[in-house]
Amino acid sequence: MQKVLITGGAGYLGSIITGHLLEKGFAVTCLDNLSHKQKSLLHYATNPQFRFIYGDVRNRELLIKILPEFDIIIPLAAIVGMPACDARPLDATSINYEAIVLINELRSSKQKVIYPTTNSGYGTKSGETYCTEETPLEPISLYGRTKSDAERYLLAAAKSGKEVITLRLATVFGISPRMRTDLLVNDFVIKAMRDGYVVMYEAHFKRNYIHIRDVARCFEHCIVNFEKMKNQTYNVGLDDANLSKMELAQKIKSYLPKFEIIPMEIGEDPDKRNYIVSNKKIMSTGFIPQVSLDEGIQELIRGYALLLKDDPYKNV
C-alpha cells in the first residue's frame, strides 16, 4: 500500500482527492492548519487508512519528523487566487513557494512529488491561440508568480534526481466538502440561483475548465503512470471547454432560464486571464476526463439547492 501525504488536504481540492485515493487503496495522510475551521475531512475518519496531522507546512521540524514515511507527496497547501495573495503577500510567498522548496530539500530522491500549479500562469493571451506546455509562462499576479516559480524550481530540481510531475490545472468546478463559490463556474451558478443575474465585464475573456473529480482522477493517473510521465508538466482541462465568460453564462442559462446576463464594463480582471489551452499532452498518456461542463453545472444546481435552502434572497 503506497502512502500519500497531502498538504492542505482539508481544502477544496484536497478533501476530494483524499476520498478518491482512499477508495483506490492508498493510505492518505492530510496535513492542514484548518485556517478556515473546516470539517471537510471528518467523514474519512471511519477509514483506518486515513490520518490527519494538524500543522503548518512551513514547520521545518514537523516536516523533518513526518516526511520520511511517505512514498508520494501532493503539496496542495497554498494561498489561492489573486485577491487572497494580494491581501497576504508574505504568506503567499512563504506557503506557495518557500514551503515547496523546503519540502523538496527535505524529501529523498525516492519520494515522488505531484505538484498542482495553475494555467493562469499563461497570463494575458489573445484567447485565440492554444497555450501548450511549451508556451512561455507570463504570470501577472503574485499568485501566478509564486505558483509558476515553484513549478520552475521543481522541474529544475528534477535534474538532480528528485523526480516530479507538475499539473497546470484549468479553472476547477464542482461540489466539495470544503466548498468554494468564488471559482468562475461555481460563482456563476450560485449567482444564477441566489441573485438571478450576473453583471459581466470582459465577457469575451476565455478560460479552460475541469471538474474537481477529474482533478482527483488525474492525480491517481499520475501516481500509477509516474515513470512514463515524470519530470514534465501537463495542462489538465476539458478540451471542449475553452469558453468565454459569456459562453459559460449562456450555458448556465440553458439550465436556469431566468438567469439574467447583464454585460457592463464596470471592472476588469486584474489577473488579465484570457487564454485557451490544449490538453492533448495529458490525454496522450491515457488520461481522459469523465465529467463534462454540462454535468458539472447540473451537479452544482443540485448542490446549491441544499446550500441555499434557507437563504431568503435566493432567486430559484
Side-chain angles (χ1 to χ4, degrees):
M1 180 179 293
Q2 295 189 83
K3 295 182 178 181
V4 181
L5 173 66
I6 304 178
T7 71
Y12 177 68
L13 291 178
S15 54
I16 292 293
I17 296 171
T18 295
H20 180 81
L21 293 181
L22 286 170
E23 288 177 3
K24 296 300 180 178
F26 295 90
V28 181
T29 296
C30 292
L31 169 66
D32 204 294
N33 65 2
L34 301 180
S35 58
H36 298 281
K37 310 230 175 346
Q38 64 268 46
K39 304 294 188 295
S40 52
L41 298 172
L42 185 60
H43 54 300
Y44 299 132
T46 59
N47 190 320
Q49 301 307 324
F50 170 76
R51 181 163 62 117
F52 175 76
I53 298 174
Y54 176 75
D56 194 298
V57 73
R58 296 167 289 187
N59 185 330
R60 173 181 284 269
E61 290 72 24
L62 176 61
L63 291 179
I64 289 173
K65 179 181 177 181
I66 69 172
L67 271 185
E69 68 181 270
F70 298 103
D71 305 298
I72 300 142
I73 303 165
I74 300 176
L76 294 183
I79 305 297
V80 179
M82 187 213 68
C85 287
D86 287 353
R88 300 167 58 190
L90 294 179
D91 283 339
T93 301
S94 63
I95 296 173
N96 296 8
Y97 179 73
E98 293 171 3
I100 301 301
V101 174
L102 178 60
I103 288 171
N104 196 66
E105 288 177 348
L106 296 178
R107 70 163 169 140
S108 76
S109 59
K110 295 180 180 180
Q111 293 174 297
K112 303 167 183 174
V113 166
I114 303 172
Y115 175 67
T117 181
T118 168
N119 62 21
S120 67
Y122 291 125
T124 303
K125 305 295 181 189
S126 67
E128 301 299 328
T129 303
Y130 282 93
C131 295
T132 72
E133 291 79 1
E134 304 305 316
T135 301
L137 296 177
E138 299 173 346
I140 294 174
S141 68
L142 177 60
Y143 173 61
R145 289 195 300 273
T146 55
K147 296 293 283 185
S148 297
D149 287 348
E151 180 191 71
R152 278 190 284 261
Y153 166 80
L154 288 171
L155 290 171
K159 297 175 183 177
S160 62
K162 291 193 173 181
E163 297 172 337
V164 66
I165 294 172
T166 71
L167 302 176
R168 294 177 185 167
L169 302 181
T171 298
V172 185
F173 62 94
I175 296 293
S176 168
R178 161 67 177 113
M179 192 58 193
R180 282 186 60 190
T181 59
D182 59 311
L183 298 166
L184 197 60
V185 181
N186 298 356
D187 176 54
F188 277 11
V189 174
I190 201 169
K191 279 184 167 65
M193 296 183 67
R194 186 187 58 204
D195 307 328
Y197 70 94
V198 63
V199 177
M200 185 185 302
Y201 54 87
E202 296 175 333
H204 64 287
F205 273 25
K206 292 182 178 180
R207 295 191 204 171
N208 194 216
Y209 304 94
I210 186 72
H211 192 275
I212 190 169
R213 291 199 301 278
D214 279 327
V215 173
R217 293 186 187 102
C218 189
F219 275 95
E220 180 206 357
H221 177 79
C222 290
I223 294 171
V224 173
N225 297 281
F226 192 87
E227 287 305 311
K228 74 175 184 179
M229 295 176 64
K230 65 185 180 182
N231 303 336
Q232 297 187 64
T233 190
Y234 301 86
N235 292 329
V236 182
L238 291 164
D239 247 14
D240 61 353
N242 281 295
L243 302 179
S244 70
K245 293 197 286 186
M246 178 59 75
E247 289 169 332
L248 171 62
Q250 289 171 338
K251 184 177 284 287
I252 293 168
K253 185 178 175 66
S254 70
Y255 296 100
L256 297 167
K258 294 182 181 180
F259 183 32
E260 293 295 328
I261 305 165
I262 306 171
M264 189 177 296
E265 297 301 326
I266 60 171
E268 61 179 8
D269 184 350
D271 210 7
K272 298 297 182 188
R273 285 171 291 175
N274 180 27
Y275 45 75
I276 55 177
V277 176
S278 169
N279 302 289
K280 297 189 185 307
K281 183 177 178 180
I282 188 72
M283 290 191 290
S284 72
T285 70
F287 175 73
I288 305 296
Q290 297 181 18
V291 185
S292 70
L293 182 56
D294 288 270
E295 289 169 329
I297 290 170
Q298 294 173 75
E299 169 191 302
L300 287 163
I301 291 170
R302 294 191 297 271
Y304 286 149
L306 293 169
L307 293 179
L308 298 174
K309 177 181 177 297
D310 297 319
D311 189 334
Y313 303 106
K314 69 179 178 180
N315 184 260
V316 176

